[in-house]
Amino acid sequence: MDTGRTPSPPIEQVHAAVERRGQPLVSLEDSPQVSISVMTPPPPVLLAEPFAKPTEPLEGFPEDITPPENFAMVCPYIYRSGMPKKRHFGFLRRLRLRSILTLILEEYPVQSQKFLEHEGIRLFQFGVAGNKEPFADIPESVMTEALCVLMDRRNHPILIHCNKGKHRTGCLVGCLRKLQEWSNTSIFDEYRRYSAPKSRSMDQQFIELFDVRPVLDQIDPENVPDWPTTLYPLQGRAEQ
């Protein structure tokens, strides 16, 4: 249907397009410190064109192109930010996201779920409380599961977020950098850049001590993103 709008232009060098529909959110685990949920649409159907034709804007949602707080590209097809609000949905549409990975514990906002269903975006929710003294910390098993989602290119393009895009998001990105074999100095510099002015020493300790071997054991080498890295072949590294 022609609404008179100019179709949203694809962002530069972005992503193979898909046509997909959303399904209800299904809770897989529920605890005060951890909750894991996933919204699973049917398998995407690849289109012949290099980019998807943008969906019609959802009625009542703005078409501004304002990015969420702390938005940045982590690496090709992976982005990070704070919690997207309604005013950010127009910007997210232009990323042609296939998935969103959130680290918030709370139930995902209803208006955001409505937006994801309209756009056919899959939601992965690995709710964690964050690293806060003296008792709360992020379970390594949950971080491992989240990294397996990021390391599967079938989920890309994907946006990672927590409430502010600082501490929990910073921990996940820091552990991803370990998989990419960044030095701790570079990892902590990036973490502090986004978490300022309240960087957490417990977050940096968590990243430093995080063991990437369980991730290597679980990811599918055939669907690993094509990033410049020295981790290949992954199977050999996982057996060490």
Side-chain angles (χ1 to χ4, degrees), residues 6-206:
T6 302
S8 304
I11 64 172
E12 296 177 0
Q13 299 178 349
V14 290
H15 331 293
V18 293
E19 206 174 45
R20 51 208 185 272
R21 296 178 293 117
Q23 295 289 329
L25 194 68
V26 179
S27 177
L28 303 181
E29 183 176 343
D30 188 14
S31 74
Q33 299 299 324
V34 179
S35 68
I36 303 176
S37 305
V38 60
M39 180 195 298
T40 309
V45 179
L46 293 180
L47 303 179
E49 298 83 10
F51 300 104
K53 182 179 180 180
T55 57
E56 293 294 332
L58 190 59
E59 184 177 355
F61 288 79
E63 277 300 285
D64 296 340
I65 51 173
T66 304
E69 178 183 6
N70 254 346
F71 177 83
M73 175 182 280
V74 177
C75 48
Y77 307 109
I78 297 184
Y79 306 95
R80 64 178 292 168
S81 75
M83 179 74 188
K85 306 293 196 302
K86 183 177 179 180
R87 66 180 180 274
H88 304 131
F89 291 166
F91 178 84
L92 296 186
R93 290 185 72 242
R94 286 160 172 77
L95 297 179
R96 308 287 192 270
L97 294 174
R98 185 175 290 180
S99 310
I100 285 181
L101 190 158
T102 182
L103 298 166
I104 65 170
L105 269 172
E106 302 79 18
E107 182 179 358
Y108 213 63
V110 173
Q111 68 177 8
S112 296
Q113 290 190 45
K114 184 178 179 182
F115 170 76
L116 298 188
E117 288 184 13
H118 179 265
E119 298 295 320
I121 297 172
R122 187 178 188 182
L123 176 67
F124 296 92
Q125 183 165 7
F126 296 92
V128 291
N131 293 312
K132 295 182 180 180
E133 295 180 324
F135 303 116
D137 58 6
I138 298 175
E140 284 203 15
S141 59
V142 175
M143 191 64 66
T144 296
E145 290 186 57
L147 286 168
C148 288
V149 171
L150 295 182
M151 292 295 291
D152 190 333
R153 62 185 177 187
R154 293 171 295 183
N155 299 320
H156 297 176
I158 187 169
L159 173 70
I160 310 164
H161 78 80
C162 52
N163 283 326
K164 298 293 185 183
K166 294 185 176 184
H167 303 107
R168 286 171 287 183
T169 298
C171 282
L172 181 55
V173 171
C175 293
L176 176 63
R177 297 308 191 194
K178 292 192 73 170
L179 283 167
Q180 295 176 316
E181 297 199 330
W182 281 32
S183 68
N184 282 340
T185 300
S186 298
I187 293 172
F188 297 152
D189 178 69
E190 181 182 45
Y191 168 83
R192 289 190 290 265
R193 197 179 329 132
Y194 288 96
S195 63
K198 294 183 178 180
S199 299
R200 294 175 180 167
S201 59
M202 287 187 65
D203 285 345
Q204 295 171 80
Q205 182 182 43
F206 177 88

Side-chain angles (χ1 to χ4, degrees), residues 217-230:
D217 289 339
Q218 295 181 42
I219 59 180
D220 180 1
E222 292 186 1
N223 291 299
V224 170
D226 186 18
W227 297 328
T229 178
T230 56

